[in-house]
Amino acid sequence: MPAGRHTMLPAAGFAGIDLACRRGERLVFAGLSFSLAAGGALVLTGPNGSGKSSLLRLMAGLGRPEAGVLSWDGAPVGEDPPAHRARLHFIGHQEAVKPLLSVAENLAFWAGMRGGGDVGQALARFRLAAFAGSPCRLLSAGQRRRLALARLLASPAPLWLLDEPATGLDSDALDDLQAAIAAQREAGGFVVLSTHTELPMAGAATLCLSDFAARPA
Amino acid sequence: MSAFRLLVQRDLRLALRQGGDAAMVVGFFVLATILFPFGVGPEPELLARIAAGILWVTALLAALLSLERLFQADWEDGSLEALSLMPLPLEAQVLAKCLAHWLVTGLPLSATAPLLALLLQLDAAGYKVLVASLLLGTPTLSLIGAVGAALSLGARRGGVLLSLLMLPLYIPVLIFGVGAIEASIGGFGVGPHLLLLGALLAGALPLAPLAAAAALRQALE
Amino acid sequence: MNLHRFANPARFMRLSSALLPWCGAGAAALIGIGLYLALFIAPPDYQQGEAVRIMFVHVPAAWMASLVYALMALASAIALIWRHPLADIAALSAAPLGAGFTLLCLVTGSLWGERMWGTWWVWDARLTSVLVLFFLYLGYLALVNAFDEPGRGARAGAILALVGIVNLPIIKFSVDWWNTLHQPASVFRLGGPTIDASMLWPLAIMVLGFMLFFATLLLVRMRTTLIEAKIRVLLLSEIERHAAASPRQAVAS
């Protein structure tokens, strides 16, 4: 359990203070802090195994930090997990796409679980409108990726957590993703993403995870 | 539409499009039951005496057979992770998935059982109670099974492991289920047995989703 | 903030190393005295003859079988709620011991049954409950060993132990119910309620001896697990030191 109450939590925005993460018996990173204001973006870099995915999962509430605290508008997110879940989109390595459902059915399900949204518009923004009725088993890997990203637009959420979102995307889709991120930030949203490829973003902060690798005991 | 109904609907749609699940469960139920006369001999008196036990044991095994897939597919393609981040509490999602599972396994099993009871010469007095006990007992099997399915996610030899985990926990359902049928054939009151089955269901309804959701969370961690 | 929870928990190691010789010696002495009393001093039963002496192993084993499961569930609850790593290790270390006591209970019950009923197995309510308990133990052991990541197995096992402890009374009740429906009431129960004082003393000493024996083995197993973890941490840090020395080799995990 995080020890004691943190008095130094930033009053607004999404922040993490003195985070540490353990995977198995290995301390992946420690002493990691960040802070994001509305419209901010954070790019996570670092070699394999440096903990980019682990940090994103901690931010999403999938697992607890070994130490430290994550806060949203001054309150630790661990105090109200349902509220945190309601405000975030997490797109992990896997697309969570059901091959037996159609493209529109897949997206409508995920949007519906969050209270509904504009499925058609989200599909159009990621150039999937033409496939809306076809079953997802016919999609290519890149198209499945786009369908996963379309979840971001089908139902709005202020915080986007994207684990290697650019994997498998062609240059058109990359442009779509960047446009979506820019729009999200313009609307005052927050974006945290990990990437290996260059994903140019204006005014994004960069966090290199290998700077926080735990020293060998 | 509420998120709960949406999830039930999605699971049912997936099960129907896959087409195999319900058919496989009922198929196993029929085949395993038909093996018994070959194993113990065709004497009607003997079959009638053990019919209730055979039907309940094979129904239980058939339900067990389909449990492994309850969370497996969602776990493999990342849907489970995404579901756990949805506003609907994970406990309610487990309940929704159990309901969908029961609709494609427990319900068809309960519907098929009277036909098989005919083949096994079950006493006429037992038919109603056979169906009633299955309708009351199989939801408990789905609920308790969900805990095992969640616990064994990602384990080596998941199927065998699941059977080992579940069989001791299924014993009370089996005992009261068969007990009800035998009581009705013997001319005793079936009330206590059915009430006990109902009590097991009433206990499993809140507790099993709680335990299964905890197991899913630690599987996702 | 305990960053190095897998580092040597020195206090437990010190305490357990001080306790171990006493537990071990106590267990040996009590079981020795208990067996002597049971085999040579206690009178043979007027009905069962010398075979009644099996009881002095069977009954303590049966008690230990349930007691260890309850302890396992308690340790699991502590592990789940407070995430205390020692509680996890205690539950994992206790499980094979509990399974061992359960097996001992089943085997002695079968031997006793052969003398009394002339058959190796009777679906007696108590023996059947112990058999189901044995399967609960086996399920737990299979589950905790079924994952590549040991922490995952421990957490899954903790949930299963709690599910098991909730279900145990229900299973026990249902088996008793089933037994009264299917067995004539005249069947003699193992370890009936009336025990003469001359038998009670050796029995009590044996139970205490079994408990100390369990405590001894539990401490040894927990210490072994902790030492193993310490070795793994050392090996891992060695690997990371090498990786740090040659940064081209990224550490995969």
Side-chain angles (χ1 to χ4, degrees):
Chain A
M1 295 303 293
R5 298 222 21 133
H6 290 254
T7 48
M8 292 156 31
L9 297 177
F14 182 47
I17 292 170
D18 205 19
L19 293 168
C21 169
R22 187 172 58 86
R23 211 165 42 209
E25 289 166 10
R26 201 168 78 90
L27 205 55
V28 185
F29 55 76
L32 184 152
S33 299
F34 69 91
S35 161
L36 269 185
L42 183 64
V43 178
L44 309 178
T45 62
N48 293 338
S50 60
K52 299 187 295 293
S53 297
S54 301
L55 179 57
L56 280 165
R57 293 173 61 83
L58 285 187
M59 289 176 175
L62 293 159
R64 305 186 223 182
E66 178 76 4
V69 64
L70 284 159
S71 78
W72 182 268
D73 286 350
V77 299
E79 277 181 5
D80 192 355
H84 189 56
R85 287 204 302 270
R87 70 170 79 100
L88 70 86
H89 266 304
F90 173 80
I91 308 289
H93 282 287
Q94 291 164 303
E95 280 86 17
V97 163
K98 288 286 168 202
L100 287 172
L101 299 182
S102 76
V103 169
E105 280 171 338
N106 256 305
L107 194 56
F109 169 71
W110 290 113
M113 288 299 283
R114 300 179 56 96
D118 191 346
V119 171
Q121 181 245 351
L123 287 178
R125 292 264 299 272
F126 277 97
R127 300 170 213 238
L128 287 166
F131 304 98
S134 42
C136 289
R137 65 189 144 80
L138 301 177
L139 295 187
S140 73
Q143 286 167 331
R144 278 209 308 275
R145 193 80 203 152
R146 269 150 59 188
L147 177 52
L149 291 170
R151 271 159 48 199
L152 296 169
L153 301 179
S155 55
L159 175 60
W160 288 5
L161 304 169
L162 315 176
D163 199 355
E164 311 256 2
T167 309
L169 294 183
D170 59 21
S171 61
D172 280 353
L174 263 177
D175 290 345
D176 296 340
L177 172 62
Q178 266 166 315
I181 290 175
Q184 161 83 350
R185 292 176 63 192
E186 213 142 284
F190 303 70
V191 178
V192 183
L193 60 87
S194 68
T195 183
H196 274 300
T197 49
E198 274 307 306
L199 211 69
M201 273 190 291
T206 302
L207 198 65
C208 181
L209 270 290
S210 46
D211 294 346
F212 301 95
R215 296 287 124 238
Chain B
M1 193 190 309
S2 80
F4 185 89
R5 272 183 53 196
L6 199 62
L7 186 54
V8 175
Q9 192 195 40
R10 180 196 77 146
D11 271 21
L12 286 179
R13 188 178 280 165
L14 284 173
L16 291 181
R17 293 219 180 136
Q18 212 141 299
D21 276 9
M24 185 191 72
V25 167
V26 171
F28 177 88
F29 184 39
V30 172
L31 292 177
T33 305
I34 285 177
L35 280 180
F36 273 87
F38 294 103
V40 301
E43 294 87 8
E45 299 79 30
L46 175 66
L47 287 178
R49 213 192 95 34
I50 59 176
I54 293 174
L55 288 171
W56 251 99
V57 168
T58 47
L60 185 151
L61 291 175
L64 189 63
L65 192 67
S66 63
L67 270 172
E68 198 191 347
R69 300 297 300 164
L70 187 55
F71 300 113
Q72 189 79 29
D74 280 339
W75 194 66
E76 280 165 359
D77 67 13
S79 296
L80 195 60
E81 188 174 80
L83 281 170
S84 78
L85 292 172
M86 290 297 131
L88 185 66
L90 203 49
E91 287 79 5
Q93 296 189 27
V94 170
L95 207 56
K97 291 187 81 70
C98 285
L99 176 59
H101 177 261
W102 180 76
L103 286 173
V104 293
T105 57
L107 196 59
L109 283 178
S110 309
T112 323
L115 281 178
L116 292 172
L118 211 65
L119 295 182
L120 294 178
Q121 327 281 343
L122 183 77
D123 193 288
Y127 278 81
K128 255 190 221 151
V129 183
L130 169 70
V131 176
S133 71
L134 281 170
L135 283 176
L136 210 50
T138 45
T140 314
L141 299 185
S142 293
L143 284 164
I144 301 178
V147 182
L151 283 172
S152 58
L153 267 185
R156 287 175 250 125
R157 298 177 300 272
V160 186
L161 178 67
L162 185 61
S163 319
L164 184 58
L165 296 184
M166 286 302 105
L167 286 181
L169 304 180
Y170 277 178
I171 286 174
V173 181
L174 176 63
I175 287 175
F176 299 132
V178 177
I181 303 168
E182 293 193 336
S184 77
I185 294 172
F188 305 109
V190 295
H193 298 271
L194 291 183
L195 279 177
L196 284 166
L197 273 179
L200 289 180
L201 179 57
L205 263 175
L207 291 178
L210 215 63
L216 289 178
R217 278 196 198 93
Q218 60 88 25
L220 289 167
E221 206 169 283
Chain C
M1 277 171 251
N2 177 13
L3 292 188
H4 297 282
R5 54 201 290 177
F6 279 86
N8 201 343
R11 249 178 76 200
F12 172 79
M13 293 304 270
R14 267 205 316 278
L15 201 68
S16 58
S17 85
L19 274 176
L20 250 183
W22 294 101
C23 285
L30 283 176
I31 291 179
I33 296 169
L35 277 181
Y36 174 75
L37 291 178
L39 293 179
F40 301 105
I41 305 298
D45 188 78
Y46 77 97
Q47 219 180 359
Q48 307 174 35
E50 303 289 347
V52 76
R53 299 187 196 283
I54 295 175
M55 178 190 75
F56 294 106
V57 175
H58 175 79
V59 172
W63 285 2
M64 289 308 293
S66 324
L67 181 70
V68 172
Y69 201 90
L71 283 178
M72 239 170 69
L74 183 69
S76 299
I78 294 173
L80 281 178
I81 297 168
W82 289 289
R83 301 222 155 188
H84 197 295
L86 271 182
D88 254 340
I89 294 171
L92 294 177
S93 307
L97 303 175
F101 282 120
T102 316
L103 186 61
L104 183 65
C105 177
L106 286 174
V107 170
T108 50
S110 169
L111 291 173
W112 197 1
E114 204 279 332
R115 291 282 90 191
M116 279 175 52
W117 303 314
T119 167
W120 294 103
W121 184 261
V122 170
W123 290 93
D124 160 84
R126 286 183 196 212
L127 269 180
T128 308
S129 292
V130 175
L131 182 68
V132 176
L133 180 61
F134 185 57
F135 278 103
L136 278 176
Y137 273 118
L138 288 187
Y140 178 89
L141 287 171
L143 184 67
V144 296
N145 291 311
F147 297 96
D148 294 323
E149 197 229 309
R152 176 74 214 285
R155 291 196 304 274
I159 296 173
L160 181 65
L162 290 181
V163 171
I165 202 80
V166 170
N167 274 281
L168 257 183
I170 303 172
I171 295 172
K172 181 98 182 69
F173 168 73
S174 69
V175 169
D176 284 347
W177 173 287
W178 161 82
N179 200 248
T180 47
L181 285 183
H182 292 276
Q183 298 270 348
S186 63
V187 168
F188 190 89
R189 289 271 173 93
L190 290 187
T194 52
I195 293 179
D196 188 76
S198 63
M199 291 179 164
L200 206 56
W201 268 110
L203 193 60
I205 292 173
M206 285 297 283
V207 169
L208 275 178
F210 269 46
M211 284 179 179
L212 280 180
F213 178 57
F214 167 71
T216 311
L217 290 184
L218 182 68
L219 288 179
V220 170
R221 285 183 58 84
M222 287 178 71
R223 287 171 60 86
T224 315
T225 309
L226 285 168
I227 292 167
E228 271 175 6
K230 173 92 180 157
I231 292 172
R232 267 203 309 280
V233 168
L234 285 176
L235 281 176
L236 205 62
S237 67
E238 192 72 8
I239 292 170
E240 286 183 350
R241 203 171 293 138
H242 279 299
S246 53
R248 294 254 150 227
Q249 273 175 279
V251 182
S253 60

